[in-house]
Amino acid sequence: MTGPYPEIAPYEHGMLEVGDGNRVYWETCGNPRGKPAVVLHGGPGSGCTPWHRRLFDPSAYRVVLFDQRNCGRSTPPASAPDTNLASNNTANLIADIELLREYLGVERWLVFGGSWGSTLALAYAESHSKRVTEIILFGVTTGRRNEFDWLFRGGVAVLFPENWERLRAAVPAALRDGDIVEAYYRLLHDPDPAIRQQAARAWCRWESATPAWPPAHGLSPRFRDAAFAMAFARIVTHYVRNDAWLEDGSLLRGAGAIADIPGVMVNGRFDLQAPIGWAWDLKRVWPRAKLVIVDDAGHDASNASITRELIRATDQFAIL
């Protein structure tokens, strides 16, 4: 299969109580007796999309998708100003994945994650390696401080100076030379809804600049939904200011836990959000994984060549 599989609708879905007043939306599609696979979306805060379903042969896989805490169809939404994100952290997302696996009666499953989802996939797999059959990652990130700083604290700004200056200009002058993530976190929690909305739009405009290759201009269509943009910006800044609650470099140091798990990593040659060197670093400590470099792509996984390689990977692992 070289292109996406035909669109299929979920055959079951629901809301899972995960504690602290949070309910996580989940759905399954494909073959109820097929090979289980779980999809971990990016962002953090993007939510799953129909595109994720189309990467798996529906006759071979039982695909599980879910929206991580406070985003997508999960509740309460991070777009609401009174939603408390205190319990939204990496450890609890890992616990949510396990709770969902047990709820659905899955013994072991393939773990699929992109961008932030690749960091979460690594964290989950290293914590629960006996529950993981294979791992497929794209736009690879590993949760290191320098990775967060590259994208959110001025690293990649050397390639996008005009976009970075626009991001800085949208915060009060007194905050522009400090931690830009902290500045936006404060604005996104301001009592004034107009200030919150302006901050969300400015943050998402920055997020729109770097995924595609060649780079795109303006606000990405997905951020034109004000509620989506607000939830996304609030969750991303919440995670970045806390370094995703991961000790620096811990996922690379802990890669021995997944040494025997086969995997595929797909990365665009011109991925400016997750430079290919990060996947290379992971490959060095996870030699069983195959690294596929897509020469005509950036971070945007909807690129036809990345989509093709992801489908090639899921097809490769389709046999039970």
Side-chain angles (χ1 to χ4, degrees):
M1 184 76 179
T2 58
Y5 281 98
E7 172 64 24
I8 52 173
Y11 64 81
E12 60 179 349
H13 62 90
M15 301 292 287
L16 182 67
E17 300 277 354
V18 294
D20 304 304
N22 287 285
R23 303 175 73 228
V24 166
Y25 172 86
W26 62 269
E27 63 183 38
T28 54
C29 58
N31 181 353
R33 292 174 295 282
K35 177 172 184 167
V38 63
V39 174
L40 308 181
H41 65 69
S46 292
C48 277
T49 69
W51 174 81
H52 290 101
R53 302 180 197 144
R54 302 186 67 192
L55 302 175
F56 298 84
D57 181 346
S59 68
Y61 278 98
R62 179 190 183 195
V63 186
V64 180
L65 300 91
F66 74 100
D67 294 332
Q68 295 158 30
R69 291 189 181 206
N70 309 123
C71 70
R73 292 148 290 188
S74 295
T75 60
S79 56
D82 58 346
T83 295
N84 189 335
L85 300 180
S87 68
N88 192 333
N89 57 57
T90 302
N92 280 343
L93 294 190
I94 292 171
D96 294 348
I97 298 168
E98 268 297 273
L99 189 64
L100 182 59
R101 182 189 63 77
E102 293 170 356
Y103 177 79
L104 295 175
V106 173
E107 182 66 24
R108 301 174 72 222
W109 51 12
L110 180 152
V111 178
F112 180 103
S115 193
W116 154 252
S118 62
T119 296
L120 182 58
L122 288 171
Y124 171 78
E126 291 182 12
S127 300
H128 300 282
S129 58
K130 293 182 179 179
R131 300 301 181 185
V132 179
T133 54
E134 301 90 10
I135 304 170
I136 299 174
L137 308 176
F138 65 91
V140 179
T141 61
T142 68
R144 290 177 290 181
R145 302 291 178 273
N146 66 316
E147 297 176 15
F148 289 125
D149 290 348
W150 167 257
L151 185 55
F152 300 113
R153 295 191 176 96
V156 74
V158 297
L159 301 176
F160 296 90
E162 71 280 28
N163 304 84
W164 182 252
E165 190 57 33
R166 186 184 298 116
L167 182 72
R168 292 180 69 248
V171 305
L175 302 178
R176 288 174 193 165
D177 294 324
D179 185 343
I180 199 73
V181 177
E182 190 66 30
Y184 270 90
Y185 179 85
R186 289 171 56 181
L187 294 174
L188 289 162
H189 290 78
D190 193 275
D192 186 338
I195 291 176
R196 294 197 303 270
Q197 200 60 58
Q198 181 184 24
R201 186 175 179 84
W203 182 269
C204 292
R205 189 177 176 93
W206 166 252
E207 292 264 13
S208 301
T210 53
W213 183 262
H217 299 283
L219 189 69
S220 171
R222 66 177 180 152
F223 294 129
R224 292 172 189 163
D225 181 320
F228 176 87
M230 180 64 68
F232 181 91
R234 289 190 72 199
I235 294 173
V236 170
T237 53
H238 173 64
Y239 269 76
V240 175
R241 73 191 291 264
N242 287 289
D243 298 312
W245 298 270
L246 294 168
E247 185 179 340
D248 193 21
S250 61
L251 296 182
L252 292 182
R253 291 193 300 274
I258 61 172
D260 295 328
I261 300 175
V264 173
M265 296 184 285
V266 178
N267 227 92
R269 174 74 70 184
F270 299 102
D271 190 331
L272 303 180
Q273 289 200 355
I276 197 167
W278 302 349
W280 192 264
D281 290 342
L282 180 57
K283 166 68 176 171
R284 289 161 68 183
V285 295
W286 183 27
R288 190 161 183 189
K290 177 183 178 182
L291 175 57
V292 179
I293 300 171
V294 180
D295 282 328
D296 65 345
H299 191 71
D300 184 0
S302 65
N303 171 281
S305 298
I306 288 186
T307 296
R308 181 170 59 251
E309 293 299 338
L310 291 175
I311 292 171
R312 184 171 290 154
T314 60
D315 284 351
Q316 172 188 336
F317 293 137
I319 300 172
L320 287 168

